[in-house]
Amino acid sequence: MKTKVTTCEIVLDGEIVSYTFTRKPVKNINMRIRPDSGLSVSAPFSVPMQQIEDVLRQNRLKILHALHQYAQQKRDQVQQYPTEYKNGETVLYLGKHYTLQVAYSRTEGVKLERECLMLLTHDPNDAARRKRIFDTWWNDTCSKAVCNLCRAVYPIFAAHGVKFPMIRFRAMVSQWGNCRPERGVLTFNTRLLAAPLRCMEYVVIHEFTHFLYPNHSSAFYHFIAEELPDWKKLQETLQNEVETRVF
């Protein structure tokens, strides 16, 4: 019987975890977690999906710990998001690293000034306030950028009868977005704002294409290639240069 590789996801302790799943002529359910490719699962052809998911839930602590650890190791190499929201921290924003600077201001928010992201606040010494201001700005900016891209690419899919979906955002583990064709919902990772704009466009088109092709078939990637001939390069940039999640 021919093996088949699919991309699946499961919620473990409130976190969405994506993984590659393969049916093989093996005896047991096997899990493997690697720094470069994340979680992969293989199982016999006869084992029901519910049993496989039960095994993943039983091993959720091990899985999440490994995924978090690999992400932390990669993030430590070059900081991509502030941890203390203070002067000098590095932020990866739209594919470029900026230095965070905190300053007093009557008007609170974040603005770009040359090579710096200025975090403006009534009280520069209030760490919780700094975090709230920055996180709110980040999430709002991500939402606006992705929604604009969704509206920009939608005519491609409207021509194929796709209705404009509900757009949602959340923090995710090891994935940039997901599509629920049966519900008409696209969900995007709030970390997308760290990626170059062209990479964000690739993620948006990738997820929209799932309304036409629910799996990652050759037809799925052929459709993407028609719109983005350099999609592989964009995917590699995301995988190698941008973290999917801030822990």
Side-chain angles (χ1 to χ4, degrees), residues 160-204:
H160 293 270
V162 176
K163 294 182 179 180
F164 194 83
M166 179 182 297
I167 309 297
R168 296 175 178 172
F169 296 87
R170 64 178 296 174
M172 299 182 184
V173 174
S174 64
Q175 65 175 166
W176 291 109
N178 63 56
C179 176
R180 290 284 185 273
E182 71 284 358
R183 299 180 183 177
V185 176
L186 293 181
T187 304
F188 294 97
N189 193 336
T190 52
R191 284 292 296 140
L192 257 181
L193 193 62
L197 192 61
R198 284 274 294 155
C199 292
M200 295 173 67
E201 181 184 13
Y202 160 66
V203 172
V204 169

Side-chain angles (χ1 to χ4, degrees), residues 29-153:
I29 299 172
N30 300 305
M31 297 184 302
R32 185 170 294 176
I33 307 173
R34 294 175 174 170
D36 54 343
S37 57
L39 174 64
S40 61
V41 180
S42 61
F45 293 100
S46 59
V47 176
M49 201 64 197
Q50 183 61 52
Q51 183 177 340
I52 296 166
E53 292 184 348
D54 287 343
V55 170
L56 293 178
R57 292 188 181 94
Q58 291 168 9
N59 290 273
R60 65 189 183 281
L61 296 180
K62 175 183 176 182
I63 293 170
L64 291 174
H65 175 75
L67 291 174
H68 292 182
Q69 186 177 46
Y70 290 143
Q72 181 67 47
Q73 291 172 354
K74 188 174 181 180
R75 189 182 68 188
D76 287 345
Q77 295 175 2
V78 179
Q79 186 182 20
Q80 296 190 4
Y81 199 85
T83 55
E84 299 182 43
Y85 304 83
K86 64 181 183 180
N87 288 330
E89 289 193 282
T90 301
V91 181
L92 183 62
Y93 170 63
L94 294 179
K96 183 177 178 180
H97 286 94
Y98 292 88
T99 300
L100 186 66
Q101 294 293 329
V102 181
Y104 169 80
S105 174
R106 292 182 179 179
T107 303
E108 295 190 317
V110 178
K111 66 178 182 178
L112 182 63
E113 286 190 2
R114 296 184 180 180
E115 304 300 314
C116 295
L117 282 172
M118 301 297 299
L119 198 168
L120 307 175
T121 173
H122 298 165
D123 185 357
N125 295 318
D126 187 335
R129 192 182 195 93
R130 297 196 307 267
K131 172 177 169 56
R132 183 171 63 252
I133 293 170
F134 189 91
D135 289 351
T136 298
W137 168 79
W138 181 276
N139 292 336
D140 288 348
T141 305
C142 181
S143 175
K144 291 176 183 177
V146 172
C147 286
N148 284 340
L149 286 170
C150 287
R151 287 189 287 268
V153 307

